[in-house]
Amino acid sequence: MSERTAATGNSEAIADAFAGGPAYIPYLAVGDPDYDASLAYVEALDRGGADVIELGLPFSEPIAEGPTIQGAVVRSLEAGMTPDRFFEFVEELDVDAPLVCMTYYNLIYQFGGSDGPRAFVEKAAEVGLEGFVVPDLPAEEADPLREACDEFGLDLVFIVAPTTTGDRLERIMSRVSGYVYVQARLGTTGAKSDVADSTTESLDRLREYDVPKAVGFGISTGEHAERIVAGGADGIIVGSALVDIVADGVENDLSTDAVADRLESLSRELKEGAERGYAARTGAAESR
Amino acid sequence: MSETGSTTNDASKPSRRPGRERGRENGKFGRYGGQYVPEALMPAIEELTDAYERYVLDNEDGFMDEFRERLADFGGRPTPLQRAERLSERYDREVYLKREDLLHGGAHKLNNALGQVLLAKYMGKERIVAETGAGQHGTATAMAAAHLDMPCEIYMGERDINRQRPNVFRMKLNGAEVNPVTAGRGTLKEAISETMRDWATTVENTHYVIGSVVGPHPFPVMVRDFQAVISEEAREQAIEKTGELPTDVVACAGGGSNTMGSFAGFVDDESVALHAIEAGGSTLEVDEEAGVAPNSASLYAGEEGVLHGARTKLLQDSDGQIMESHSVSSGLDYAGVGPELAYLVDEGRVTPVAVDDDAALEGFHRLSNTEGIIPALETAHAFGYLEEHAGDLGERVIVTVSGRGDKDLESVIEETDGRDVAGAPDMSMFTGGI
């Protein structure tokens, strides 16, 4: 087993993504609205400045997702996405950013006809994934996946909610690696016009832990990104605002290129916002 | 002392018999159970676990006393254990019916709904949410919420809303809001997912009244403990009437709340055989391509997996995607099952059997015209089983009549028409619908 600590993680590529500036971490559901368009969309995120990319492997019962990402999951499953196709997709992708798989535990557990997460993690390592986020896997049930990730050198990201404190926070932080996903507000995923105060409180609670903190849930503009990074986040995670662009492309029958351009341009806006926030924070720190 | 009075005193705490201790400690039933939920829900689940231990297990502030009293006065408990004369003759053994169809609302569902809404009140919650498939749990929750003066919102699949209009109206009559769920195929599993999403946003003031022995700990043990009143009563009543324990208990199984309620009091009685009757639908074959299992026999035909917060037996494809289940009775129409039942099946303590739509319909008509009891289609599966397997059973059989069939009359007309169902009346005058 490797010498992992929360701070260094297992994946050098993920550690590097947080070194020397804020990380922009976009999410898209793979296969939405179909395999080929989805390849173009993920590559557009990379061109737009993604530091890590979260790739959603759709599960039929996405209990942690709001309506936007549920829509993406339905489109992708209807177009035939499966775990095997997902791995082919990852192999075919031409991107620089390290890739993290976001999915639900049953798909990980069932993969390869085995009971347990090891086969899925082995395959993920083989196609070049660097880590996992599993929204329905609490720390208490995560040891088999944690062990498999350590065996194959992958990171396991956990979500910390505004309501996570005390012993629960300890249990999560002793198992997390790569980065911690700080959920900005209660509820499910979805773009919101304001970003909650609870983010600041959550970041304060996490200050003593030496692991990158990426904030997600509700970020949709460069201005949000700026404010959140200025408030102390090491990275921002954006999903629904990007999935909205894909959904809009489906609804208005836009070309793959047009949708990809919009994804790239929102990515630039978010990345630049994050960098402004970082400059403001570090500048303020230097001038103190 | 009245029978009700003595029941209240004896049962002020849930049974401490060994079988009932299972799962209370950590929500694990062998390899099944657990708490597979988004992090935002964990604090709510921990708070609920604490409340379950204090109020339900330790009867703090007299919670269980008040629960039993309300079940008697508002619910009409205890329900009778009735000897079925014609069925006893037909099958040449004593057949007793545990009459949960006579509970207020017409189904066993109130036992759980009243328990949870009352618990929410003790916890200081201000709002109730619940999911419903056929509408039975939704109507029970709406009744309990009105009775205890709590605002209530019910999530229900759009397709189920169209299939179950009278139940939707009943919920509204009791002051509940009914929120249609359009995701997926718009049935029970989507409604559960949607209710979990609501709860993840509103945990601070809201309690989620889950409708069966499914979901993350402590729901499976808590719902079992509320429903266990069925078998606690039945056990006493059987001994009183016959001087001994039954040889067999037969109960239909969807998510499993009726099943666990009917079995919990007998799990430690090794001489009592326990039969869980699942919906075999039209066939046990699955269509992987379409993601459809035309049955809901997750104990009999399912594979281990993780759904809606628990590890249990599921109808899923080889990738782990959840299948759409199907049954003529929408109350059994669920791709998962309670983790404790999955465990008891693996241990050999509970025998699962699948009964198909046709046999269930025949069971429906048989009980209606021979005993004068129109059962719910869910319950009818248990009578379909009896017809096929009574010869394998012992001398004294208890069958739980989990609910009455008034809600199913339209479906029964539709399903009976065009099939050759033994014992059915002449359908020609009803085929225009009612």
Side-chain angles (χ1 to χ4, degrees):
Chain A
M1 201 169 283
S2 62
E3 292 294 309
R4 170 183 57 80
T5 68
T8 60
N10 284 328
S11 159
E12 271 180 44
I14 290 179
D16 287 349
F18 286 93
Y24 162 55
I25 309 176
Y27 161 96
L28 281 178
V30 164
D32 172 28
D34 61 58
Y35 187 96
D36 291 334
S38 186
L39 272 178
Y41 297 164
V42 174
E43 287 169 4
L45 302 176
D46 194 54
R47 284 196 303 278
D51 297 289
V52 176
I53 299 175
E54 290 185 355
L55 296 174
L57 165 57
F59 177 52
S60 55
E61 316 304 315
I63 56 174
E65 315 297 350
T68 306
I69 292 177
Q70 282 179 59
V73 165
V74 169
R75 286 191 297 272
S76 168
L77 288 174
E78 281 178 356
M81 185 47 58
T82 65
D84 289 327
R85 290 284 281 159
F86 175 83
F87 288 127
E88 284 168 33
F89 182 97
V90 174
E91 278 190 304
E92 202 173 332
L93 264 184
D94 180 15
V95 295
D96 294 329
L99 303 170
V100 168
C101 169
M102 180 153 182
T103 194
Y104 288 76
Y105 194 55
N106 202 44
L107 297 187
I108 295 177
Y109 187 77
Q110 303 296 341
F111 185 75
S114 65
D115 283 353
R118 192 175 176 281
F120 190 92
V121 177
E122 184 174 17
K123 180 73 186 172
E126 191 186 308
V127 299
L129 285 159
E130 303 280 349
F132 298 100
V133 187
V134 189
D136 66 340
L137 185 68
E140 288 81 352
E141 313 282 356
D143 287 341
L145 180 59
R146 177 70 269 177
E147 283 162 23
C149 283
D150 288 341
E151 181 183 345
F152 292 102
L154 272 65
D155 281 321
L156 182 55
V157 173
F158 283 93
I159 298 172
V160 166
T163 41
T164 310
T165 53
D167 289 349
R168 288 208 48 69
L169 188 61
E170 273 303 319
R171 279 200 289 276
I172 291 172
M173 297 311 285
S174 68
R175 289 173 176 81
V176 74
S177 74
Y179 55 96
V180 57
Y181 187 143
V182 183
Q183 185 180 329
R185 58 180 166 74
L186 283 177
T188 52
T189 54
K192 285 278 147 65
S193 51
D194 63 328
V195 177
D197 292 340
S198 50
T199 312
T200 328
E201 288 164 31
S202 295
L203 287 172
D204 282 345
R205 257 183 291 127
L206 293 170
R207 201 164 298 280
E208 60 181 288
Y209 298 97
D210 188 16
V211 56
K213 293 132 198 108
V215 174
F217 275 48
I219 300 171
S220 58
T221 67
E223 201 245 315
H224 289 161
E226 179 177 352
R227 221 164 354 121
I228 285 187
V229 173
D234 301 306
I236 52 158
I237 302 171
V238 181
S240 296
L242 298 163
V243 172
D244 272 334
I245 293 176
V246 176
D248 188 61
V250 172
E251 216 162 281
N252 296 304
D253 208 16
L254 303 180
S255 71
T256 301
D257 287 349
V259 173
D261 284 349
R262 288 179 64 191
L263 289 169
E264 185 179 338
S265 126
L266 179 59
S267 290
R268 282 191 203 293
E269 178 191 330
L270 290 159
K271 171 89 179 177
E272 283 162 17
E275 279 169 349
R276 280 197 306 279
Y278 186 73
R281 189 172 88 211
T282 48
E286 277 162 21
S287 68
R288 253 206 302 264
Chain B
M1 194 183 279
S2 75
E3 195 183 332
T4 309
S6 69
T7 306
T8 303
N9 289 340
D10 293 342
S12 62
K13 279 187 177 190
S15 165
R16 289 288 186 183
R17 304 168 73 209
R20 293 288 299 284
E21 288 297 319
R22 188 173 299 119
R24 279 179 180 161
E25 176 95 10
N26 59 5
K28 293 291 171 82
F29 307 94
R31 56 200 285 124
Y32 301 108
Q35 297 180 310
Y36 293 85
V37 294
E39 176 55 30
L41 283 180
M42 287 303 293
I45 281 174
E46 289 183 342
E47 184 190 345
L48 183 60
T49 305
D50 176 64
Y52 163 70
E53 287 168 359
R54 282 166 44 209
Y55 295 121
V56 180
L57 296 185
D58 296 336
N59 194 28
E60 193 174 306
D61 300 339
F63 172 85
M64 286 303 285
D65 301 324
E66 181 173 352
F67 172 54
R68 299 290 168 150
E69 193 178 320
R70 287 183 187 274
L71 269 183
D73 294 350
F74 179 67
R77 297 214 76 93
T79 61
L81 183 73
Q82 179 213 339
R83 182 171 179 274
E85 293 172 41
R86 247 71 55 200
L87 293 186
S88 296
E89 206 174 301
R90 181 180 181 94
Y91 301 126
D92 195 24
R93 54 212 357 101
E94 295 299 295
V95 176
Y96 284 88
L97 306 178
K98 180 57 178 167
R99 297 289 307 276
E100 291 303 292
D101 59 314
L102 294 177
L103 187 66
H104 179 42
H108 70 290
K109 291 288 184 187
L110 183 69
N111 299 322
N112 169 44
L114 189 64
Q116 286 199 55
V117 176
L118 187 64
L119 186 66
K121 204 145 190 142
Y122 274 63
M123 291 169 74
K125 300 289 178 185
E126 293 160 356
R127 174 175 174 267
I128 295 297
V129 292
E131 88 292 341
T132 197
Q136 293 307 100
H137 174 58
T139 54
T141 305
M143 287 184 326
H147 173 63
L148 291 164
D149 194 22
M150 291 277 266
C152 174
E153 286 182 41
I154 307 289
Y155 288 90
M156 188 168 183
E158 198 164 50
R159 201 169 70 162
D160 285 335
I161 287 180
N162 294 328
R163 290 198 287 193
Q164 302 285 344
R165 279 165 32 92
N167 272 341
V168 175
F169 188 53
R170 288 168 76 190
M171 289 181 246
K172 293 196 171 185
L173 285 173
N174 287 137
E177 273 183 53
V178 179
N179 302 323
V181 178
T182 54
R185 287 180 171 84
T187 61
L188 177 59
K189 75 181 168 65
E190 286 83 17
I192 293 180
S193 295
E194 197 56 36
T195 316
M196 285 192 169
R197 291 183 190 108
D198 179 309
W199 200 33
T201 317
T202 57
V203 290
E204 281 160 16
N205 71 353
T206 298
H207 175 68
Y208 173 15
V209 179
I210 207 163
S212 193
V213 287
V214 300
H217 179 69
F219 283 114
V221 284
M222 182 174 73
V223 175
R224 173 198 69 196
D225 287 350
F226 289 142
Q227 290 289 2
V229 65
I230 300 173
S231 46
E232 283 162 8
E233 284 177 8
R235 193 174 184 281
E236 270 182 42
Q237 291 165 324
I239 291 171
E240 196 174 297
K241 278 184 197 286
T242 69
E244 46 198 336
L245 288 169
T247 54
D248 299 86
V249 178
V250 177
C252 62
S257 72
N258 169 63
T259 334
M260 278 315 304
S262 299
F263 293 171
F266 294 107
V267 166
D268 290 335
D269 298 318
E270 284 175 19
S271 67
V272 182
L274 306 173
H275 310 271
I277 316 305
E278 297 193 290
S282 51
T283 168
L284 289 173
E285 303 293 314
V286 300
D287 183 348
E288 278 238 0
E289 192 73 6
V292 175
N295 62 70
S296 48
S298 28
L299 286 173
Y300 184 81
E303 299 282 343
E304 181 185 338
V306 175
L307 174 66
H308 290 145
R311 181 181 296 205
T312 183
K313 289 179 187 282
L314 304 175
L315 300 176
Q316 57 187 329
D317 69 14
S318 55
D319 288 332
Q321 303 288 7
I322 308 307
M323 297 256 186
E324 291 293 336
S325 55
H326 175 75
S327 162
V328 64
S329 73
S330 38
L332 300 182
D333 203 340
Y334 180 57
V337 66
E340 185 170 11
L341 274 168
Y343 169 81
L344 291 171
V345 164
D346 280 3
E347 292 290 294
R349 183 67 190 92
V350 167
T351 311
V353 182
V355 165
D356 68 16
D357 288 348
D358 289 340
L361 275 170
E362 288 181 16
F364 176 93
H365 288 292
R366 192 177 313 110
L367 193 70
S368 300
N369 66 33
T370 63
E371 295 288 349
I373 298 168
I374 299 175
L377 276 173
E378 292 79 15
T379 311
H381 286 75
F383 293 96
Y385 168 79
L386 214 53
E387 180 75 6
E388 289 170 31
H389 296 279
D392 307 336
L393 304 181
E395 291 159 13
R396 292 173 308 282
V397 180
I398 293 179
V399 185
T400 306
V401 182
S402 58
R404 70 179 181 219
D406 306 48
K407 69 183 176 62
D408 293 320
L409 297 184
E410 275 194 70
S411 314
V412 170
I413 290 172
E414 203 176 294
E415 298 283 347
T416 305
D417 184 38
R419 289 188 210 217
D420 184 18
V421 180
D426 175 9
M427 298 302 295
S428 56
M429 66 185 295
F430 303 109
T431 46
I434 41 175

